[in-house]
Amino acid sequence: MTRKPLVAGNWKMNKTTAEATDLAQQLSYRVDQAYEGVDILVCPPFTDLRSVYVTLDFDKSRIAMGAQNVYFEESGAYTGEISPVMLKEIGCSYCIVGHSERRGLFNETNDDINHKVRALQSHGITPLLCVGESLQIRQQRNALEFISDELRACLLGNPVAAADDLVVAYEPIWAIGTGHTATPEQAQDVCGQIREDLANIYSPEIAEQVRILYGGSMNEGNAALFAACPDIDGGLIGGASLDANKFMPIVDCFR
Ligand code: 13P
């Protein structure tokens, strides 16, 4: 089967509401029927979700919206947290989980992420699960084993029955925001192995359906190289997603 590519922008902690609305408008204006072959996703900060949703909805845009994090409980005394119920209501169809910045800066564990994946799935929100190794692990030549372990721990007991139940993003930590991308060969090696792992965890049929993205300093100059890799089905873009003139040429490489 052919998987529909997905290009996602992780805006991280950038864009005020006015700036986010402006960027959503610019993207929505450019995404016409010529983009039917690719899914496009933006993941703004929580405070921008409402205005970005209204902007995209008003334009009947094909661009989907996601969040960058979630807590796994539905409601209650969890000061500062946001639940999957809230994300669903505000119009999120995806949510990033397990980003290395959340793991590294906010001490998220595989176990936390496992709960988040389940909570999202049970509310019909597609988890965009990030995995990736540090430079030290890559230099020790343990990257493939590390990523397999991370993937299994985050997915343990979480069923995937259809393509929309999961997206995986391979984001080597040493490539994020550094300008040093993985080579297409390195990225393909890992993404190919993620697909094999998914075949073992679920089934070969499910592994063929789940989209696997590469993320880490992707830009308009290198995106085509990743798009040509058989197991890379799109990109998770940080810095270059903050400017429509930089994001759209990346989308163009995958459509
Ligand atoms: P950059 O594209 O800025 O390297 O960020 C990648 C990323 O972390 C997306 O989630």
Side-chain angles (χ1 to χ4, degrees):
M1 78 161 277
T2 49
R3 293 174 294 273
K4 190 172 186 183
L6 169 66
V7 182
N10 175 5
W11 295 0
K12 306 193 180 182
M13 197 177 74
N14 295 292
K15 304 288 180 193
T16 63
T17 298
E19 291 165 348
T21 310
D22 182 49
L23 177 54
Q25 258 163 2
Q26 287 184 48
L27 294 173
S28 157
Y29 177 72
R30 295 198 195 186
V31 173
D32 56 19
Q33 282 166 353
Y35 288 87
E36 261 168 19
V38 58
D39 285 340
I40 304 169
L41 168 67
V42 292
C43 299
F46 288 133
T47 47
D48 296 337
L49 290 174
R50 177 82 188 144
S51 353
V52 167
Y53 184 80
V54 168
T55 304
L56 297 176
D57 188 51
F58 182 80
D59 287 353
K60 299 198 170 27
S61 174
R62 296 188 50 263
I63 301 173
M65 187 181 77
Q68 300 173 16
N69 187 26
V70 67
Y71 193 59
F72 48 79
E73 296 289 355
E74 300 213 341
S75 63
Y78 305 102
T79 302
E81 296 296 322
I82 302 282
S83 81
V85 181
M86 296 166 179
L87 295 184
K88 185 79 186 173
E89 192 194 63
I90 209 164
C92 290
S93 39
Y94 292 82
C95 180
I96 298 171
V97 278
H99 194 281
S100 60
E101 286 152 17
R102 295 227 48 93
R103 294 174 189 262
L105 299 172
F106 303 101
N107 302 321
E108 269 189 26
T109 64
N110 284 334
D111 196 41
D112 296 329
I113 296 158
N114 181 293
H115 284 85
K116 292 182 179 198
V117 167
R118 186 166 323 158
L120 291 167
Q121 288 174 331
S122 66
H123 288 90
I125 300 172
T126 304
L128 203 169
L129 169 64
C130 301
V131 292
E133 81 288 0
S134 64
L135 187 58
Q136 193 190 13
I137 291 171
R138 161 95 15 207
Q139 285 168 341
Q140 292 166 346
R141 301 182 185 279
N142 289 334
L144 291 177
E145 194 185 331
F146 176 86
I147 288 158
S148 276
D149 290 349
E150 210 172 44
L151 190 72
R152 282 172 188 278
C154 294
L155 294 178
L156 187 73
N158 293 334
V160 174
D164 280 349
D165 291 343
L166 181 69
V167 173
V168 180
Y170 167 51
E171 295 209 313
I173 298 169
W174 45 273
I176 295 177
T178 58
H180 300 295
T181 51
T183 64
E185 292 75 23
Q186 287 171 324
Q188 166 56 33
D189 272 359
V190 175
C191 293
Q193 190 211 262
I194 291 173
R195 202 171 303 285
E196 272 179 38
D197 289 336
L198 292 173
N200 290 327
I201 300 170
Y202 299 109
S203 69
E205 292 72 28
I206 288 297
E208 274 305 299
Q209 291 177 39
V210 170
R211 291 177 289 188
I212 303 173
L213 316 182
Y214 168 77
S217 298
M218 197 187 275
N219 58 41
E220 62 182 296
N222 58 37
L225 299 172
F226 295 106
C229 297
D231 287 300
I232 299 180
D233 308 313
L236 180 55
I237 323 298
S241 72
L242 299 174
D243 179 338
N245 292 323
K246 294 187 176 156
F247 186 63
M248 289 311 295
I250 300 177
V251 177
D252 286 335
C253 292
F254 284 92
R255 73 183 162 123

